[in-house]
Amino acid sequence: MQRQEKGSPEIVSKGLYHLNNIVKMFSKNLVIGSKWKLIGFVVAFATISLEGLFWLFRHHRPRRSKLVKEVLFFPTDVTCTNHLFQMTHNKRPCTCPLLHCDDSPYNRLLKHLLSARNTLDLCVFAFSNQDFARVVLELHRRNVLVRIFTDKDFMKITGSQIGNLRKSGIAVRHEQSDCFMHHKFAVVDKKLLITGSLNWTCKAIQCNKENILITEDAEIVQPFMAEFEKLWNESDPMKFFSLTC
């Protein structure tokens, strides 16, 4: 038997039916002088239509918070990012020559990453952009648990930020096989997915035709979380250390 939804027509009709019975029982005990008062009450109540009741139920139910769903495209103009890293109470006007646009795809992407409060799981093929490295270091400073999984060859190319992040105390693991680790996604606080074709490089942001999808849809986020955990556990250094001893 299906459970009836609160505010459904069946529940409202039953409520009116029981209320009508109560009015009938109550009317038997009324003195004749109150008869017209009772009639007036019934007529006034009858003017409240079912449509009006549905409106009340619909507008007074607790509303679910709107899930984040956003698509960003690149390349984009180079914009100033300094204000993103300033404390709210200590923000100062920036005088740098770069474009100041808080709504650019680049800044929107950085703001989504900086929204992390507990965890950031990052799976990226190439990572050389300094602004992205600054984001990761800022989150690490805030005691956000950051984990990075990357490609073993591209983590060593000139300009890669992986080595500096690892030296700063951020957990880094890499693909152990001879195949490329070509993923590009991040999961913020285990609920916000950022994925697409974009590598974390200046060329990808400023030159390449790239896309980013950002969503809180749990049915999409969960498989990416599972993939990250699988890759992270498979590349545990202790497993390979024990094999060489």
Side-chain angles (χ1 to χ4, degrees):
M1 185 174 180
Q2 293 183 346
R3 183 179 179 182
Q4 292 179 338
E5 183 182 357
K6 185 177 180 181
S8 65
E10 293 82 5
I11 291 179
V12 173
S13 298
K14 289 181 180 179
L16 293 174
Y17 173 77
H18 291 308
L19 181 59
N20 184 50
N21 289 338
I22 292 173
V23 171
K24 288 180 179 180
M25 294 174 58
F26 181 69
S27 63
K28 293 180 181 179
N29 298 320
L30 290 175
V31 294
I32 296 176
S34 301
K35 179 179 180 180
W36 293 110
K37 293 182 179 179
L38 174 63
I39 293 174
F41 169 76
V42 173
V43 171
F45 181 81
T47 59
I48 303 176
S49 64
L50 287 177
E51 184 178 351
L53 290 175
F54 292 150
W55 185 91
L56 289 173
F57 278 117
R58 187 168 61 250
H59 286 78
H60 288 279
R61 287 184 304 179
R63 294 185 179 182
R64 296 179 180 178
S65 58
K66 190 176 181 180
L67 295 179
V68 173
K69 293 181 181 179
E70 186 172 8
V71 176
L72 303 175
F73 292 103
F74 297 83
T76 183
D77 294 329
V78 179
T79 56
C80 176
T81 61
N82 289 330
H83 64 288
L84 299 177
F85 300 93
Q86 294 177 354
M87 300 297 292
T88 304
H89 63 275
N90 194 32
K91 285 190 175 181
R92 300 176 181 177
C94 182
T95 59
C96 76
L98 294 177
L99 178 67
H100 291 75
C101 178
D102 201 41
D103 206 39
S104 69
Y106 187 41
N107 281 7
R108 293 187 68 82
L109 176 55
L110 294 179
K111 284 194 291 185
H112 281 299
L113 292 167
L114 285 167
S115 71
R117 294 294 177 266
N118 299 301
T119 61
L120 173 65
D121 292 327
L122 171 61
C123 200
V124 65
F125 177 62
F127 188 162
S128 60
N129 182 279
Q130 294 184 359
D131 282 333
F132 283 122
R134 188 177 178 186
V135 167
V136 172
L137 290 172
E138 173 63 18
L139 294 177
H140 182 62
R141 185 189 67 80
R142 297 179 192 172
N143 293 321
V144 172
L145 177 60
V146 180
R147 298 186 296 177
I148 300 175
F149 188 77
T150 189
D151 184 77
K152 70 175 183 178
D153 294 323
F154 269 71
M155 66 181 289
K156 296 179 289 186
I157 64 173
T158 302
S160 174
Q161 298 293 319
I162 296 298
N164 293 332
L165 295 175
R166 175 177 270 169
K167 291 177 182 178
S168 298
I170 294 168
V172 176
R173 292 182 184 178
H174 58 79
E175 174 64 29
Q176 299 288 343
S177 71
D178 293 330
C179 300
F180 283 138
M181 199 304 298
H182 213 241
H183 285 317
K184 299 109 178 175
F185 70 85
V187 180
V188 176
D189 290 334
K190 302 188 183 301
K191 65 180 182 180
L192 177 71
L193 172 67
I194 301 171
T195 187
S197 64
L198 186 78
N199 272 307
W200 285 23
T201 66
C202 292
K203 184 176 181 180
I205 292 163
Q206 299 174 20
C207 300
N208 297 351
K209 304 297 188 294
E210 308 279 5
N211 67 82
I212 285 288
L213 170 68
I214 301 169
T215 180
E216 286 183 318
D217 188 331
E219 292 185 358
I220 299 176
V221 177
Q222 290 295 329
F224 280 87
M225 288 178 54
E227 173 69 3
F228 184 89
E229 293 298 338
K230 179 176 77 72
L231 295 173
W232 189 259
N233 292 329
E234 286 177 351
S235 62
D236 186 348
M238 293 304 297
K239 294 181 179 179
F240 297 92
F241 178 78
S242 60
L243 291 176
T244 58
C245 294

Short mmCIF file of all heavy atoms in Angstrom, two decimals, residues 71-76 105-106 109 125-126 132 182-184 195-213:
data_model
loop_
_atom_site.label_atom_id
_atom_site.label_comp_id
_atom_site.label_asym_id
_atom_site.label_seq_id
_atom_site.Cartn_x
_atom_site.Cartn_y
_atom_site.Cartn_z
N VAL A 71 27.86 24.89 -15.77
CA VAL A 71 28.79 24.51 -16.83
C VAL A 71 29.65 25.73 -17.17
O VAL A 71 29.13 26.83 -17.34
CB VAL A 71 28.05 24.03 -18.09
CG1 VAL A 71 29.04 23.74 -19.22
CG2 VAL A 71 27.21 22.79 -17.78
N LEU A 72 30.96 25.52 -17.24
CA LEU A 72 31.91 26.59 -17.57
C LEU A 72 32.68 26.20 -18.83
O LEU A 72 33.01 25.02 -19.01
CB LEU A 72 32.89 26.81 -16.41
CG LEU A 72 32.28 27.14 -15.04
CD1 LEU A 72 33.39 27.21 -14.00
CD2 LEU A 72 31.50 28.44 -15.09
N PHE A 73 32.96 27.20 -19.65
CA PHE A 73 33.73 26.96 -20.87
C PHE A 73 34.99 27.81 -20.89
O PHE A 73 35.00 28.94 -20.40
CB PHE A 73 32.87 27.26 -22.11
CG PHE A 73 31.74 26.29 -22.31
CD1 PHE A 73 30.44 26.64 -21.99
CD2 PHE A 73 31.98 25.03 -22.82
CE1 PHE A 73 29.40 25.75 -22.16
CE2 PHE A 73 30.95 24.12 -23.00
CZ PHE A 73 29.64 24.48 -22.67
N PHE A 74 36.03 27.26 -21.48
CA PHE A 74 37.32 27.92 -21.63
C PHE A 74 37.73 27.85 -23.08
O PHE A 74 37.21 27.00 -23.81
CB PHE A 74 38.36 27.25 -20.73
CG PHE A 74 38.03 27.36 -19.26
CD1 PHE A 74 37.15 26.46 -18.66
CD2 PHE A 74 38.59 28.36 -18.48
CE1 PHE A 74 36.84 26.57 -17.32
CE2 PHE A 74 38.30 28.47 -17.14
CZ PHE A 74 37.43 27.57 -16.55
N PRO A 75 38.61 28.77 -23.57
CA PRO A 75 39.48 29.66 -22.79
C PRO A 75 38.72 30.86 -22.23
O PRO A 75 37.60 31.15 -22.64
CB PRO A 75 40.52 30.11 -23.83
CG PRO A 75 39.77 30.05 -25.13
CD PRO A 75 38.84 28.88 -25.02
N THR A 76 39.38 31.55 -21.31
CA THR A 76 38.80 32.73 -20.69
C THR A 76 39.88 33.80 -20.54
O THR A 76 41.07 33.49 -20.58
CB THR A 76 38.20 32.38 -19.32
OG1 THR A 76 37.57 33.53 -18.76
CG2 THR A 76 39.27 31.90 -18.37
N PRO A 105 34.58 32.63 -15.83
CA PRO A 105 34.64 31.18 -15.61
C PRO A 105 35.81 30.77 -14.71
O PRO A 105 35.67 29.87 -13.87
CB PRO A 105 34.79 30.62 -17.03
CG PRO A 105 34.16 31.64 -17.90
CD PRO A 105 34.47 32.96 -17.26
N TYR A 106 36.93 31.42 -14.89
CA TYR A 106 38.12 31.09 -14.10
C TYR A 106 37.89 31.37 -12.62
O TYR A 106 38.15 30.51 -11.76
CB TYR A 106 39.29 31.91 -14.64
CG TYR A 106 40.64 31.57 -14.03
CD1 TYR A 106 41.01 30.26 -13.79
CD2 TYR A 106 41.56 32.59 -13.74
CE1 TYR A 106 42.26 29.96 -13.26
CE2 TYR A 106 42.80 32.29 -13.22
CZ TYR A 106 43.15 30.98 -12.98
OH TYR A 106 44.38 30.68 -12.46
N LEU A 109 35.35 29.00 -11.03
CA LEU A 109 35.94 27.69 -10.76
C LEU A 109 36.77 27.74 -9.48
O LEU A 109 36.67 26.85 -8.62
CB LEU A 109 36.80 27.26 -11.95
CG LEU A 109 37.59 25.96 -11.79
CD1 LEU A 109 36.67 24.80 -11.43
CD2 LEU A 109 38.36 25.66 -13.08
N PHE A 125 45.55 15.18 -14.43
CA PHE A 125 46.64 14.70 -15.26
C PHE A 125 47.84 15.65 -15.22
O PHE A 125 48.97 15.25 -14.90
CB PHE A 125 46.13 14.54 -16.70
CG PHE A 125 47.17 14.12 -17.69
CD1 PHE A 125 47.83 12.91 -17.55
CD2 PHE A 125 47.48 14.93 -18.77
CE1 PHE A 125 48.79 12.51 -18.47
CE2 PHE A 125 48.43 14.54 -19.71
CZ PHE A 125 49.08 13.33 -19.56
N ALA A 126 47.61 16.93 -15.53
CA ALA A 126 48.69 17.93 -15.54
C ALA A 126 48.33 19.08 -14.63
O ALA A 126 47.21 19.60 -14.69
CB ALA A 126 48.92 18.43 -16.96
N PHE A 132 45.88 27.63 -9.08
CA PHE A 132 45.32 26.40 -8.55
C PHE A 132 46.18 25.89 -7.38
O PHE A 132 45.65 25.41 -6.37
CB PHE A 132 45.22 25.34 -9.63
CG PHE A 132 44.07 25.55 -10.57
CD1 PHE A 132 44.28 25.69 -11.93
CD2 PHE A 132 42.77 25.61 -10.10
CE1 PHE A 132 43.24 25.89 -12.80
CE2 PHE A 132 41.70 25.80 -10.97
CZ PHE A 132 41.94 25.94 -12.32
N HIS A 182 44.65 9.91 -16.87
CA HIS A 182 44.17 11.04 -17.67
C HIS A 182 42.91 11.71 -17.10
O HIS A 182 42.31 12.56 -17.77
CB HIS A 182 43.90 10.56 -19.10
CG HIS A 182 44.16 11.60 -20.13
ND1 HIS A 182 43.20 12.08 -20.98
CD2 HIS A 182 45.32 12.27 -20.46
CE1 HIS A 182 43.72 12.99 -21.78
NE2 HIS A 182 45.00 13.13 -21.49
N HIS A 183 42.50 11.34 -15.90
CA HIS A 183 41.33 11.97 -15.28
C HIS A 183 41.58 13.45 -15.00
O HIS A 183 42.73 13.88 -14.78
CB HIS A 183 40.99 11.31 -13.95
CG HIS A 183 40.35 9.97 -14.08
ND1 HIS A 183 39.36 9.70 -14.98
CD2 HIS A 183 40.54 8.81 -13.37
CE1 HIS A 183 38.97 8.44 -14.86
NE2 HIS A 183 39.67 7.88 -13.89
N LYS A 184 40.49 14.23 -14.98
CA LYS A 184 40.55 15.64 -14.54
C LYS A 184 39.26 15.90 -13.76
O LYS A 184 38.26 16.33 -14.35
CB LYS A 184 40.65 16.62 -15.71
CG LYS A 184 41.89 16.44 -16.59
CD LYS A 184 41.50 15.87 -17.92
CE LYS A 184 42.71 15.73 -18.82
NZ LYS A 184 42.37 15.05 -20.09
N THR A 195 34.29 18.45 -12.88
CA THR A 195 34.90 17.54 -13.84
C THR A 195 34.78 18.09 -15.25
O THR A 195 33.96 18.96 -15.52
CB THR A 195 34.24 16.14 -13.77
OG1 THR A 195 34.97 15.23 -14.60
CG2 THR A 195 32.79 16.18 -14.21
N GLY A 196 35.61 17.59 -16.14
CA GLY A 196 35.58 18.04 -17.53
C GLY A 196 36.90 17.77 -18.21
O GLY A 196 37.69 16.93 -17.77
N SER A 197 37.16 18.51 -19.29
CA SER A 197 38.36 18.28 -20.09
C SER A 197 39.56 19.10 -19.62
O SER A 197 40.68 18.89 -20.09
CB SER A 197 38.08 18.62 -21.55
OG SER A 197 37.78 20.01 -21.69
N LEU A 198 39.34 20.00 -18.68
CA LEU A 198 40.35 21.00 -18.31
C LEU A 198 41.48 20.43 -17.46
O LEU A 198 41.23 19.92 -16.36
CB LEU A 198 39.69 22.14 -17.55
CG LEU A 198 40.59 23.34 -17.22
CD1 LEU A 198 40.76 24.22 -18.45
CD2 LEU A 198 40.01 24.16 -16.07
N ASN A 199 42.72 20.50 -17.97
CA ASN A 199 43.88 20.28 -17.13
C ASN A 199 44.17 21.55 -16.34
O ASN A 199 43.79 22.65 -16.74
CB ASN A 199 45.10 19.90 -17.97
CG ASN A 199 45.19 18.42 -18.23
OD1 ASN A 199 45.14 17.61 -17.32
ND2 ASN A 199 45.30 18.05 -19.50
N TRP A 200 44.87 21.42 -15.23
CA TRP A 200 45.15 22.59 -14.38
C TRP A 200 46.44 23.25 -14.86
O TRP A 200 47.44 23.29 -14.14
CB TRP A 200 45.23 22.15 -12.93
CG TRP A 200 43.86 21.86 -12.36
CD1 TRP A 200 42.73 21.53 -13.05
CD2 TRP A 200 43.49 21.88 -10.99
NE1 TRP A 200 41.68 21.34 -12.19
CE2 TRP A 200 42.11 21.56 -10.92
CE3 TRP A 200 44.17 22.14 -9.81
CZ2 TRP A 200 41.42 21.49 -9.72
CZ3 TRP A 200 43.49 22.07 -8.61
CH2 TRP A 200 42.12 21.76 -8.57
N THR A 201 46.38 23.78 -16.08
CA THR A 201 47.52 24.46 -16.69
C THR A 201 47.07 25.81 -17.25
O THR A 201 45.89 26.00 -17.56
CB THR A 201 48.12 23.62 -17.83
OG1 THR A 201 47.15 23.53 -18.91
CG2 THR A 201 48.46 22.21 -17.37
N CYS A 202 48.01 26.71 -17.40
CA CYS A 202 47.71 28.04 -17.97
C CYS A 202 47.24 27.92 -19.41
O CYS A 202 46.33 28.64 -19.84
CB CYS A 202 48.93 28.94 -17.88
SG CYS A 202 49.39 29.39 -16.19
N LYS A 203 47.85 27.03 -20.17
CA LYS A 203 47.47 26.87 -21.58
C LYS A 203 46.03 26.40 -21.71
O LYS A 203 45.28 26.87 -22.58
CB LYS A 203 48.41 25.90 -22.27
CG LYS A 203 48.12 25.76 -23.77
CD LYS A 203 49.13 24.86 -24.45
CE LYS A 203 48.82 24.76 -25.94
NZ LYS A 203 49.78 23.88 -26.66
N ALA A 204 45.63 25.47 -20.85
CA ALA A 204 44.27 24.96 -20.91
C ALA A 204 43.25 26.07 -20.63
O ALA A 204 42.19 26.13 -21.25
CB ALA A 204 44.09 23.82 -19.91
N ILE A 205 43.60 26.95 -19.69
CA ILE A 205 42.68 28.01 -19.28
C ILE A 205 42.64 29.16 -20.28
O ILE A 205 41.57 29.70 -20.58
CB ILE A 205 43.08 28.53 -17.89
CG1 ILE A 205 42.83 27.45 -16.84
CG2 ILE A 205 42.30 29.80 -17.52
CD1 ILE A 205 43.54 27.69 -15.54
N GLN A 206 43.78 29.51 -20.85
CA GLN A 206 43.87 30.71 -21.67
C GLN A 206 43.81 30.44 -23.18
O GLN A 206 43.54 31.35 -23.95
CB GLN A 206 45.17 31.45 -21.36
CG GLN A 206 45.27 31.92 -19.91
CD GLN A 206 46.63 32.53 -19.59
OE1 GLN A 206 47.36 32.94 -20.48
NE2 GLN A 206 46.97 32.57 -18.32
N CYS A 207 44.07 29.21 -23.59
CA CYS A 207 44.18 28.93 -25.04
C CYS A 207 43.22 27.84 -25.52
O CYS A 207 42.60 27.98 -26.58
CB CYS A 207 45.60 28.52 -25.39
SG CYS A 207 46.84 29.77 -25.00
N ASN A 208 43.12 26.75 -24.77
CA ASN A 208 42.41 25.58 -25.26
C ASN A 208 40.89 25.73 -25.18
O ASN A 208 40.37 26.47 -24.34
CB ASN A 208 42.82 24.34 -24.47
CG ASN A 208 44.27 24.00 -24.65
OD1 ASN A 208 44.97 24.58 -25.48
ND2 ASN A 208 44.75 23.05 -23.85
N LYS A 209 40.20 25.00 -26.03
CA LYS A 209 38.74 24.87 -25.94
C LYS A 209 38.46 23.75 -24.92
O LYS A 209 38.71 22.58 -25.19
CB LYS A 209 38.14 24.51 -27.30
CG LYS A 209 38.48 25.49 -28.41
CD LYS A 209 37.91 26.88 -28.12
CE LYS A 209 38.07 27.80 -29.32
NZ LYS A 209 39.50 28.10 -29.64
N GLU A 210 37.97 24.15 -23.77
CA GLU A 210 37.78 23.20 -22.67
C GLU A 210 36.40 23.40 -22.04
O GLU A 210 35.74 24.44 -22.25
CB GLU A 210 38.85 23.41 -21.59
CG GLU A 210 40.28 23.41 -22.09
CD GLU A 210 40.85 22.01 -22.28
OE1 GLU A 210 40.11 21.02 -22.11
OE2 GLU A 210 42.05 21.92 -22.61
N ASN A 211 35.99 22.41 -21.25
CA ASN A 211 34.71 22.51 -20.54
C ASN A 211 34.82 21.98 -19.13
O ASN A 211 35.66 21.12 -18.84
CB ASN A 211 33.61 21.76 -21.30
CG ASN A 211 33.86 20.26 -21.29
OD1 ASN A 211 33.56 19.55 -20.34
ND2 ASN A 211 34.44 19.77 -22.40
N ILE A 212 33.98 22.50 -18.25
CA ILE A 212 33.91 22.04 -16.86
C ILE A 212 32.43 21.90 -16.47
O ILE A 212 31.62 22.80 -16.73
CB ILE A 212 34.59 23.04 -15.90
CG1 ILE A 212 36.11 22.95 -16.00
CG2 ILE A 212 34.16 22.81 -14.45
CD1 ILE A 212 36.70 21.69 -15.39
N LEU A 213 32.10 20.78 -15.88
CA LEU A 213 30.76 20.55 -15.32
C LEU A 213 30.88 20.54 -13.79
O LEU A 213 31.73 19.85 -13.24
CB LEU A 213 30.19 19.22 -15.81
CG LEU A 213 28.90 18.75 -15.11
CD1 LEU A 213 27.74 19.68 -15.46
CD2 LEU A 213 28.58 17.31 -15.49
#
